[in-house]
Amino acid sequence: MRTLSDIAEEYEFLEADERYRLLIELGRELEDMPQALKTDATLVRGCSAQVWVYPTGAEEKLHFLADSNAAITKGIVALVISAVQDKPAGEVAQMDIAAALEPFDLKNQLSSNRTQGVPNMIALVKEHAARIAAG
């Protein structure tokens, strides 16, 4: 998975249509999430599309599996995950993920329908991280 800074560097130089294509490409690059993990417990509430996030790994290296049934939304999920992937759980729990995503200006680049679930995705990732960090 690409780092968020690498993605931001590429994103900065793209036009709107190309940014959509990049988001779709990022979604395709997500690690496959087994169907068995796509349950009500891993579903992110408040998203216009279905989004699932599942934490794996340990406290020192938190890893997430994620998926969505919509291509653009899956790309947004990939952005969120790339901000936190393989970092220590304590660091993720304290991280300002929304600030890390600011260079992408998602609110102005995408419809409010597409971005309405982002705060819920971030909250779920941070809750998972805090729970794992607490042991």
Side-chain angles (χ1 to χ4, degrees):
M1 173 170 254
R2 302 181 214 183
T3 66
L4 194 61
S5 60
D6 287 345
I7 298 166
E9 200 173 292
E10 183 177 349
Y11 192 85
E12 180 183 352
F13 294 103
L14 299 176
E15 298 295 324
D17 287 351
E18 295 168 322
R19 288 178 173 183
Y20 276 108
R21 281 193 283 280
L22 177 60
L23 286 173
I24 291 168
E25 183 181 316
L26 292 172
R28 288 185 185 133
E29 292 174 5
L30 276 175
E31 189 175 340
D32 285 338
M33 182 177 191
Q35 197 64 35
L37 295 178
K38 297 177 188 175
T39 66
D40 199 49
T42 61
L43 188 67
V44 178
R45 308 279 180 240
C47 295
S48 59
Q50 290 183 300
V51 175
W52 300 272
V53 175
Y54 183 80
T56 65
E59 185 178 340
E60 48 299 326
K61 189 176 180 183
L62 194 55
H63 191 82
F64 288 92
L65 298 176
D67 199 3
S68 176
N69 65 342
I72 296 287
T73 304
K74 191 170 178 175
I76 296 167
V77 172
L79 280 178
V80 173
I81 297 304
S82 69
V84 300
Q85 196 72 294
D86 299 329
K87 293 189 169 149
E91 181 182 327
V92 172
Q94 299 300 316
M95 187 178 194
D96 187 345
I97 300 168
L101 297 176
E102 282 176 7
F104 299 94
D105 194 25
L106 295 175
K107 285 190 191 309
N108 292 318
Q109 299 294 322
L110 304 169
S111 69
S112 61
N113 224 22
R114 296 227 191 265
T115 59
Q116 70 185 13
V118 173
N120 295 356
M121 262 185 264
I122 291 170
L124 185 65
V125 165
K126 288 177 68 83
E127 286 168 19
H128 283 314
R131 189 179 68 247
I132 291 168

